[in-house]
Amino acid sequence: MNLDREGVVMVEKSNVLVTGGARGIGAGIVRELIRQGHRVGLCGRSGADSVAGFLAELAQMGGDAAYFPCDVSCAADRERMLDEFSRRFGEPDVLVNNAGVAPDVRADLLEMGEASFDRVIGINLRGPFFLTQQVARRMIARPSDRFRCIINIGSVSADYASINRGEYCLSKAGVAMATKLFSVRLAGEGICVYEVRPGVIHSDMTRGVAAKYDAMIANGLTLQPRWGEPEDVGRAVAMLVSGALGYSTGQVINVDGGLVIERF
Ligand code: NDP
């Protein structure tokens, strides 16, 4: 972050890699980063054709964005994506680990199968953990004066137990610890690590359970009586990317309308 002579924050333009950035929360993050003038690479399992419309929208906003097909649970895909990203933009200044999945089936804890456990952990925890490792090594190999950080999109499910999607809760509890671990390891390298922890956000992931959350929000689940939108998360991420919280490594930023505030 820079300050001009009047003390106004001048946001540096960063090279940002956002996993799963073409829809849902990821798209909200990408739109906000493009609005702030950052250069953004996004990825997903979908073919490039399916994101052409979104890329055209970003180009219309005057944005510099590129899409890299990549399954974050696959080591070879991650390596190829980072090579393609650095050829297109240079090395990333910021990694946003946003890609994630819910279990295909919400099964009771006593019925959940190992295949679903492995799938959810592989995409939500193992993939982002090793992507962070790869990005951190590349950052350390090329010291930079620019503000650099890793942002993990966690979930209130790191703390809140849902017994019909235990594998998801475990994956997000793991993401919370990965944030702490990397914040400790990378502080001395000048790299901040944060977790942004959304509550209940409109996206494809929550579409199938929207009626349930409508009722819960109407009954006071959140202090602010509305769903979160992808842009709510996007603005939090953009603030972190700006370096405004550059002395707060390891912190969790809740974006949940007050869901986690304990009440009588
Ligand atoms: P969506 O299902 O709407 O979008 C998921 C995104 O992740 C898509 O862009 C998808 O792209 C990508 N993705 C999924 N699997 C992979 C993979 N293996 N490799 C690369 N990309 C992948 O979900 P949300 O936008 O709601 O979720 C985004 C993040 O926010 C997740 O980490 C989720 O756990 C978290 N979150 C969401 C909450 C909510 O209420 N919605 C609440 C708390 C946390 P593609 O299909 O092209 O692969």
Side-chain angles (χ1 to χ4, degrees), residues 19-262:
T19 66
R23 59 189 172 89
I25 290 175
I29 294 170
V30 168
R31 283 195 183 95
E32 196 55 38
L33 293 174
I34 288 292
R35 251 179 231 122
Q36 304 285 330
H38 300 294
R39 295 170 288 273
V40 182
L42 48 142
C43 84
R45 295 158 303 176
S46 312
D49 288 356
S50 65
V51 300
F54 185 52
L55 289 181
E57 177 196 327
L58 299 175
Q60 277 215 319
M61 293 166 70
D64 187 2
Y67 179 77
F68 309 105
C70 166
D71 179 340
V72 295
S73 67
C74 168
D77 273 20
R78 293 193 299 267
E79 195 67 48
R80 193 181 58 235
M81 170 177 67
L82 289 178
D83 288 342
E84 287 174 4
F85 183 100
S86 63
R87 273 198 296 277
R88 173 71 166 74
F89 295 108
E91 290 299 333
D93 303 305
V94 177
L95 166 65
V96 183
N97 282 309
N98 161 77
V101 290
D104 283 334
V105 177
R106 290 187 170 217
D108 179 79
L109 204 61
L110 302 184
E111 306 299 331
M112 183 227 298
E114 293 193 27
S116 180
F117 184 98
D118 289 347
R119 170 178 171 270
V120 172
I121 295 291
I123 295 171
N124 292 5
L125 179 58
R126 192 167 54 81
F129 179 88
F130 286 103
L131 183 59
T132 300
Q133 191 188 65
Q134 285 166 293
V135 168
R137 285 179 185 157
R138 285 174 180 243
M139 286 178 172
I140 291 165
R142 291 179 192 220
S144 165
D145 290 338
R146 291 144 76 123
F147 177 70
R148 301 192 299 182
C149 68
I150 315 275
I151 301 168
N152 292 325
I153 306 301
S155 169
V156 290
S157 296
D159 277 340
Y160 282 48
S162 302
I163 56 169
N164 62 355
R165 49 188 187 122
E167 63 277 63
Y168 183 79
C169 298
L170 285 166
S171 72
K172 293 300 182 177
V175 166
M177 178 49 79
T179 303
K180 288 186 193 177
L181 289 167
F182 279 117
S183 70
V184 173
R185 176 61 183 85
L186 297 178
E189 309 288 354
I191 302 166
C192 287
V193 185
Y194 307 101
E195 178 184 343
V196 170
R197 189 174 288 190
V200 179
I201 311 288
H202 269 136
S203 75
D204 292 341
M205 187 179 277
T206 46
R207 198 177 309 282
V209 285
K212 174 187 149 186
Y213 286 126
D214 280 344
M216 290 173 78
I217 290 168
N219 286 326
L221 174 72
T222 53
L223 299 184
Q224 294 169 278
R226 68 164 175 87
W227 282 71
E229 300 299 332
E231 289 67 26
D232 290 311
V233 183
R235 282 190 289 273
V237 169
M239 178 194 61
L240 293 173
V241 171
S242 77
L245 295 191
Y247 191 53
S248 299
T249 193
Q251 297 304 307
V252 177
I253 312 295
N254 294 305
V255 184
D256 63 2
L259 187 155
V260 298
I261 302 299
E262 293 177 25

